[in-house]
Amino acid sequence: MNKRLQSGEAEAVISTLGAELVSFRRKDTGAEYIWSGDAAYWTGRSPVLFPIIGAARNGEIKVDGQAYTIGNHGFARRCEFTLVEESDTTAVFLLSHSESTLDSYPFKFKLYITYTLNGNQLELGYRVDNIDEQDIFFQLGTHPAFNCPFAGEGSLADYFLEFDEPEHLERLFLNASGLLISGKSESVLHEAQQAILPLNHEMFYDGALIFREVNSRQITLKSKLSATSVVVSYQGFPDLGIWQPKDAPFVCIEPWHGVADSEHFEGELQDKEGIIRLPQGADFTSSLTIEIR
């Protein structure tokens, strides 16, 4: 089932499957900014990553010495959420633990995703409630894919990412199994005062660009050929992935809290990079805002 949100300027469509944003477009031009999910490149559009990000070594997590099989990016993106609250401009989706989730992740939780459309700005609010009788551990991430070029205008080489803070970005690499390669990195923005990252297809041929502890809390996808831009703002996501399948007509800007396992990781879930430890009865909140300018 899809839920449609509308304002005077824009329209957003969210599927109950994964509580995934499947469309965000301007009403005046009809321009669509979210990837279509064409299987020729990637069937995703804007999945939520929970309770892990990326790959787990050997396809499993360990809790108290017991191994649990889990897929890349966790299971939330493949689960049916319940629409628990709605209006013309707001929708609240809920995923709760179940027998199925407990088979791969042995914790009781509630995951709420709230969409709020205000003009040409769409906010995604994330909340995880710990309803277990113990601390729970998880990672949480976003994965929106933006059509690029905009409306077929120009090529990817005409586009760039602008960070709101000067960055010295050190790129991490993944192996064929999706695990971080130990000891391998590359400076992408070399100078401490740089805030512009030019885009091209070749930069993604070795996979996603992965960065830990990014300073910026806003990244703008811009074109040299147009005044149109997509602004991605976020809170509670210190890490970042930027990704595109080979020569695809879209770019993913992915604020994360956590990253994939390293190729030599042998610890438990609570030892993973960027893990969130949430005490019994507590909640964790974060947000992502997409604005069309």
Side-chain angles (χ1 to χ4, degrees):
M1 186 184 80
N2 287 341
K3 168 63 181 176
R4 190 179 306 272
L5 305 180
Q6 297 196 61
S7 70
E9 293 87 3
E11 178 184 82
V13 180
I14 305 102
S15 172
T16 53
L17 181 61
E20 183 174 16
L21 177 65
V22 297
S23 174
F24 188 31
R25 67 179 189 88
R26 284 175 51 164
K27 283 186 174 180
D28 56 349
T29 65
E32 175 64 65
Y33 290 87
I34 295 297
W35 168 242
S36 68
D38 184 345
Y41 291 101
W42 183 53
T43 58
R45 301 185 188 192
S46 180
V48 59
L49 315 183
F50 176 89
I52 66 167
I53 292 170
R57 187 166 182 245
N58 298 322
E60 62 185 25
I61 57 174
K62 294 178 182 177
V63 178
D64 296 331
Q66 183 172 343
Y68 297 84
T69 300
I70 192 166
N72 288 6
H73 291 322
F75 50 72
R77 61 188 176 136
R78 306 190 189 282
C79 290
E80 191 72 22
F81 281 63
T82 302
L83 180 60
V84 295
E85 184 179 331
E86 62 177 312
S87 70
D88 290 343
T89 57
T90 303
V92 182
F93 298 87
L94 169 63
L95 176 67
S96 299
H97 69 277
S98 64
E99 290 185 11
S100 175
T101 68
L102 289 169
D103 284 342
S104 58
Y105 176 71
F107 295 109
K108 298 176 182 179
F109 68 90
K110 290 183 182 292
L111 169 61
Y112 293 90
I113 304 180
T114 300
Y115 287 84
T116 305
L117 180 61
N118 182 13
N120 61 355
Q121 190 176 82
L122 180 66
E123 180 177 350
L124 290 71
Y126 301 86
R127 192 181 96 203
V128 180
D129 290 357
N130 179 359
I131 58 172
D132 212 316
E133 297 176 353
Q134 59 185 321
D135 292 356
I136 69 173
F137 303 89
F138 60 91
Q139 297 171 320
L140 181 66
T142 71
H143 204 310
F146 300 104
N147 288 325
C148 187
F150 301 148
E153 184 177 46
S155 66
L156 186 64
D158 297 311
Y159 290 76
F160 59 94
L161 298 178
E162 182 176 82
F163 294 80
D164 73 332
E165 295 285 347
E167 299 285 355
H168 185 116
L169 297 178
E170 194 74 15
R171 175 186 183 178
L172 306 180
F173 291 85
L174 300 174
N175 65 17
S177 300
L179 303 174
L180 289 172
I181 300 174
S182 300
K184 182 176 181 180
S185 66
E186 176 183 82
S187 292
V188 173
L189 292 184
H190 306 281
E191 302 295 333
Q193 295 303 311
Q194 284 188 307
I196 302 296
L197 180 61
L199 296 176
N200 59 72
H201 290 301
E202 292 75 15
M203 67 196 299
F204 298 106
Y205 286 176
D206 288 328
L209 282 69
I210 298 171
F211 307 109
R212 297 297 318 276
E213 303 294 339
V214 175
N215 295 321
S216 296
R217 290 297 170 263
Q218 180 175 290
I219 301 170
T220 305
L221 177 60
K222 291 185 172 183
S223 168
K224 302 172 187 175
L225 307 178
S226 170
T228 301
S229 61
V230 174
V231 183
V232 179
S233 308
Y234 48 94
Q235 296 293 330
F237 295 111
D239 309 310
L240 178 67
I242 303 171
W243 178 70
Q244 175 194 86
K246 187 174 182 180
D247 297 333
F250 66 87
V251 173
C252 295
I253 303 172
E254 311 171 39
W256 296 338
H257 200 307
V259 293
D261 285 349
S262 71
E263 56 190 346
H264 303 302
F265 180 73
E266 295 182 350
E268 296 218 342
L269 176 63
Q270 66 182 33
D271 304 315
K272 287 172 65 70
E273 292 283 346
I275 202 71
I276 299 163
R277 180 180 191 136
L278 190 62
Q280 180 184 356
D283 63 73
F284 171 87
T285 60
S286 57
S287 66
L288 177 81
T289 301
I290 302 169
E291 180 181 0
I292 304 169
R293 292 183 183 171

